[in-house]
Amino acid sequence: MRNLSVVTEFILLGIPHTEGLETMLLVLFLSFYIFTLMGNLLILLAIVSSAQLHTPMYFFLCKLSVFDIFFPSVSSPKMLCYLSGNSRAISYAGCASQLFFYHFLGCTECFLYTVMAYDRFVAICHPLRYTIIMSHRACIILAMGTSFFGCIQAIFLTTLTFQLPYCGPNEVDYYFCDIPVMLKLACADTSALEMVGFISVGLMPLSCFLLILTSYSCIICSILQIRSAEGRRCAFSTCSAHLTAILLSFMPVVLIYLQPTLNPWLNATVQILNNLVTPMLNPLIYSLRNKEVKYSLRKVLQPVAFLPGR
């Protein structure tokens, strides 16, 4: 059978309606990217260096920080490259890789938030059985499971998108390769695939969100039964950080993939919020509301503050 995929590279047109703003966007996005890397590296360092934080909750937070480093790194380096005046071209394989890793890391984070909600459910609703249920072995299996199912989902979506023939236009009206904009360039009828992709991308976060909602409904019921005001405040404080991170992560997915008509400018704005701003805010969300993380961060940063010459 003749291969119709004659396109060997694509041209990323960038964020719609931002012509002439390249320098400002370069400075802004580079700042976001640097703060994202620094913030998540500090969280990693704080957790790894403190024996007090070697618990299931912080194990999953550690994995989230690793993924928050890699997630913006899928699209940001190329975007910063062409904003600085370099080539906007990306190879066919590079485009497929962008799409795969974007959905692999995004789906894995989605599953990871669900596991973190389950961890809080066990800790608050079944505190006496917590160490048995969330054993070291169980944590490893859950962490590996999030990556495995994220990988399966990403392989399915990437195969779905790139098994189509691309034999004509190669200008991607976006700042990275994602499913909606790639399907517009295909030289074939994509209506059936759009429906399959819509169901697949919509069902996965919806299922995770319902599981998280179930976990937090049980958690709230348990918290309200705590007689001590200090105990209720402590439980709410721990859970509120996680809930804030979940809302910041899930809302962009709903706005991008489940809207009835495609709006490139809105998509790009929300996607940047999801790709750069949310991973940058996660370290702040989890550290500002958590005394243990703040204490560990102070211990990590103190030696730096007292270096000779400072």
Side-chain angles (χ1 to χ4, degrees):
M1 186 177 177
R2 188 165 62 93
N3 183 13
L4 296 174
S5 298
V6 294
V7 172
T8 57
E9 68 173 22
F10 296 96
I11 308 298
L12 299 171
L13 297 183
I15 302 166
H17 315 301
T18 57
E19 293 80 7
L21 301 173
E22 286 82 4
T23 304
M24 187 189 76
L25 292 175
L26 174 65
V27 173
L28 181 65
F29 295 153
L30 182 60
S31 303
F32 282 165
Y33 188 49
I34 290 169
F35 280 122
T36 298
L37 298 181
M38 287 176 61
N40 284 289
L41 282 170
L42 279 173
I43 290 288
L44 272 174
L45 192 59
I47 294 170
V48 171
S49 64
S50 175
Q52 188 185 2
L53 301 182
H54 292 177
T55 63
M57 184 177 84
Y58 294 109
F59 170 71
F60 294 124
L61 179 56
C62 203
K63 183 173 181 180
L64 180 66
S65 290
V66 171
F67 277 71
D68 275 344
I69 289 169
F70 286 112
F71 188 56
S73 300
V74 172
S75 57
S76 297
K78 182 63 184 175
M79 178 177 65
L80 294 171
C81 184
Y82 67 68
L83 283 174
S84 62
N86 293 300
S87 173
R88 292 175 178 264
I90 184 170
S91 68
Y92 185 92
C95 195
S97 297
Q98 260 197 352
L99 193 145
F100 169 79
F101 283 108
Y102 177 77
H103 286 280
F104 165 59
L105 294 166
C107 292
T108 302
E109 282 202 10
C110 197
F111 292 131
L112 191 57
Y113 281 124
T114 311
V115 168
M116 290 170 79
Y118 174 70
D119 171 72
R120 290 300 83 209
F121 161 74
V122 176
I124 293 169
C125 299
H126 304 283
L128 299 178
R129 298 173 59 202
Y130 180 70
T131 53
I132 298 168
I133 296 170
M134 298 304 292
S135 63
H136 181 72
R137 182 170 175 270
C139 289
I140 295 293
I141 291 169
L142 287 169
M144 289 177 67
T146 59
S147 295
F148 175 75
F149 288 111
C151 187
I152 295 295
Q153 175 82 345
I155 289 170
F156 172 69
L157 293 172
T158 307
T159 306
L160 190 75
T161 305
F162 285 92
Q163 55 89 29
L164 292 166
Y166 292 92
C167 52
N170 70 337
E171 292 186 338
V172 179
D173 191 18
Y174 213 40
Y175 69 96
F176 80 105
C177 300
D178 198 12
I179 297 168
V181 288
M182 294 309 298
L183 291 180
K184 286 167 66 179
L185 300 178
C187 306
D189 179 27
T190 61
S191 52
L193 292 175
E194 281 174 16
M195 183 56 67
V196 172
F198 176 84
I199 293 168
S200 176
V201 173
L203 238 123
M204 187 275 295
L206 180 63
S207 304
C208 290
F209 188 74
L210 288 174
L211 288 170
I212 291 166
L213 199 63
T214 304
S215 294
Y216 273 97
S217 298
C218 297
I219 287 168
I220 289 166
C221 289
S222 293
I223 290 173
L224 292 174
Q225 291 173 11
I226 298 172
R227 293 181 180 180
S228 159
E230 179 62 24
R232 283 198 301 270
R233 189 199 63 77
C234 185
F236 269 121
S237 178
T238 304
C239 295
S240 63
H242 186 217
L243 279 171
T244 306
I246 286 167
L247 288 172
L248 283 172
S249 180
F250 277 80
M251 287 307 294
V253 175
V254 174
L255 288 169
I256 294 163
Y257 296 105
L258 302 183
Q259 58 178 304
T261 54
L262 195 66
N263 185 327
W265 186 84
L266 175 65
N267 279 8
T269 306
V270 175
Q271 198 83 273
I272 286 163
L273 172 71
N274 192 38
N275 288 10
L276 279 172
V277 180
T278 302
M280 181 184 70
L281 291 178
N282 274 348
L284 290 173
I285 292 166
Y286 282 105
S287 61
L288 291 177
R289 300 298 300 271
N290 192 306
K291 290 180 181 177
E292 293 171 326
V293 174
K294 282 196 284 189
Y295 176 72
S296 183
L297 277 172
R298 277 198 296 268
K299 282 176 68 179
V300 168
L301 295 172
Q302 265 180 350
V304 178
F306 291 104
L307 281 175
R310 286 180 178 265

